[in-house]
Amino acid sequence: VWDMATAWPFLRSLIIASDSKSSNRARIAWTPYAPSISRPSIPALVHLAEECRQLTRLRVDVADMSEEDLHVLETHVAVATARQTQLMHWIPAWGDHCLHLSLPDIDRLAQALHQLFPSLKGSGSGGEGWHRPGRPMKHWWTEEEQETAAYRFMEKFNEWSR
């Protein structure tokens, strides 16, 4: 992920997704939660978004984040001088991955990322100005998925953007 920022400095949207809800699910011989599957860290994607100043949308299933990782991110935020204002949508987990993703303190994580990316918005659910191209919609998630840390993380951006 770190090299992608150098390779694609004008990247505008990045979606790397696996859909374990496909109709062929029963025939799939692997699980998307196997330890052998590597996922990028939130700090690595922060680096990508900071370097790719035109990035507006990020949907990548991320790795679990520890309290120590959050502390490192908060330290980075304290010394960061430039804000990336183009990033509007960040979906850290999709589908079944929501149910398995572990994130530390959601309030602190969302606050740190909102300081770096002040244009971030959570899911839309209706009302004036709620729909923007690429914005995740609340009805895309099941009730069970809406109870997860990944979804609550995304919703915190709506609170911080008021």
Side-chain angles (χ1 to χ4, degrees):
V1 173
W2 289 82
D3 293 337
M4 291 167 65
T6 304
W8 302 326
F10 301 108
L11 184 67
R12 295 181 50 85
S13 178
L14 179 63
I15 299 173
I16 302 175
S18 62
D19 184 5
S20 60
K21 292 182 178 183
S22 74
S23 59
N24 296 326
R25 186 177 193 171
R27 295 191 320 225
I28 296 174
W30 60 276
T31 171
Y33 311 107
S36 61
I37 294 180
S38 296
R39 290 186 171 83
S41 68
I42 288 178
L45 292 172
V46 163
H47 172 76
L48 176 73
E50 287 179 322
E51 295 300 315
C52 297
R53 310 294 293 170
Q54 296 177 25
L55 187 66
T56 62
R57 185 173 174 208
L58 188 55
R59 180 181 152 201
V60 178
D61 284 350
V62 299
D64 290 346
M65 187 176 195
S66 69
E67 182 67 30
E68 182 180 327
D69 293 335
L70 177 57
H71 180 71
V72 170
L73 178 62
E74 289 172 325
T75 302
H76 171 72
V77 169
V79 298
T81 56
R83 303 295 182 236
Q84 200 273 37
T85 60
Q86 298 301 308
L87 185 62
M88 295 180 63
H89 310 294
W90 185 335
I91 301 174
W94 185 259
D96 287 348
H97 186 56
C98 287
L99 306 175
H100 300 273
L101 179 63
S102 175
L103 297 172
D105 187 312
I106 301 298
D107 290 317
R108 288 174 42 216
L109 176 58
Q111 181 179 18
L113 291 176
H114 192 265
Q115 288 176 334
L116 293 172
F117 311 110
S119 298
L120 278 172
K121 303 281 188 264
S123 67
S125 59
E128 187 177 332
W130 64 273
H131 187 13
R132 299 280 186 274
R135 185 172 187 179
M137 296 291 101
K138 187 173 186 171
H139 67 268
W140 292 351
W141 281 267
T142 66
E143 286 184 28
E144 184 180 23
E145 291 165 351
Q146 288 180 26
E147 297 297 320
T148 64
Y151 187 82
R152 287 192 319 272
F153 160 79
M154 216 176 35
E155 283 295 282
K156 285 293 177 183
F157 296 131
N158 286 336
E159 292 178 23
W160 288 104
S161 63
R162 290 183 183 144

